[in-house]
Amino acid sequence: EGFGVYKLTDQASMTTAIKSAYQTGYRLFDTAQLYENEALLGVALKELAVPRDNYFVTTKVAEQNQGYQTTIQSVKESLRRLQLDYVDLLLVHWPMQAHFFATWQALEDLQAQGLTKSIGVSNFGIVHLQLLATQAHQRPVVNQVERHPGLNQAALIKYHQAHGIVTQAWSPLARGKYLQDPV
């Protein structure tokens, strides 16, 4: 399980949240260019003062930064903001028709350069994954999708399992909707 920082927008809250999350056992921290808080997370991780290989960082390429060269530049900027030499997992945040293959090629090249250890996608459906497979040199290792009791994504999960793609849920409690559900 990971700790998402989607709604954290000030340094004090980010630092407190990351410290508490780390102390309770979280090691995966998930951010995105779109969240506009990568720099806050970078500071909070530095303040933890633990070795880099003690935690795992995921970030995602925003829609407006997709396309080959724009992706490369935006990821280098993300690394600067995060104060990291690499991220553990880099995702395409949403499938964009205009830059679909170019963005994935950029992720493959960023991985070859050592700027990310693994690459994947977020919010991709079966058709997106099938299309990507027609030109990609490698499959995504992860597809991060909305998944919770009201949206089980059974067909997508079956596809992932058949193709060696890890399913990672975002909003697994439907933004709190199911916290009061007795089931």
Side-chain angles (χ1 to χ4, degrees), residues 61-114:
V61 177
E63 294 91 319
Q64 68 269 20
N65 293 332
Q66 291 189 31
Y68 185 84
Q69 200 57 45
T70 311
T71 294
I72 300 280
Q73 292 168 346
S74 73
V75 170
K76 288 180 178 179
E77 184 60 24
S78 288
L79 291 171
R80 186 192 65 73
R81 286 190 297 266
L82 287 162
Q83 302 180 51
L84 299 174
D85 295 327
Y86 66 91
V87 291
D88 299 279
L89 178 61
L90 180 62
L91 304 177
V92 178
H93 206 150
W94 288 92
M96 298 291 295
Q97 180 181 356
H99 305 292
F100 191 79
F101 294 114
T103 300
W104 187 253
Q105 180 62 57
L107 266 64
E108 290 181 340
D109 290 351
L110 287 160
Q111 183 179 27
Q113 295 168 29

Side-chain angles (χ1 to χ4, degrees), residues 14-49:
M14 178 71 78
T15 300
T16 300
I18 296 304
K19 182 178 179 183
S20 295
Y22 191 85
Q23 288 173 343
T24 59
Y26 285 92
R27 296 296 182 266
L28 187 160
F29 300 101
D30 180 284
T31 189
Q33 294 171 349
L34 188 66
Y35 305 166
E36 297 182 350
N37 63 9
E38 290 172 319
L40 301 176
L41 178 58
V43 169
L45 291 171
K46 284 287 183 202
E47 290 185 16
L48 273 181

Side-chain angles (χ1 to χ4, degrees), residues 30 56-62 66 71 75 87-95 100 103-108 110-111 116-124 129 132 136 138-145 160 164-168:
D30 180 284
F56 187 103
V57 176
T58 299
T59 196
K60 304 169 205 75
V61 177
Q66 291 189 31
T71 294
V75 170
V87 291
D88 299 279
L89 178 61
L90 180 62
L91 304 177
V92 178
H93 206 150
W94 288 92
F100 191 79
T103 300
W104 187 253
Q105 180 62 57
L107 266 64
E108 290 181 340
L110 287 160
Q111 183 179 27
T116 183
K117 290 192 174 190
S118 296
I119 57 177
V121 295
S122 183
N123 303 300
F124 275 45
L129 295 167
L132 186 61
Q138 65 184 60
R139 287 191 186 273
V141 296
V142 169
N143 187 10
Q144 187 183 85
V145 296
H160 289 169
I165 300 170
V166 173
T167 304
Q168 187 178 57

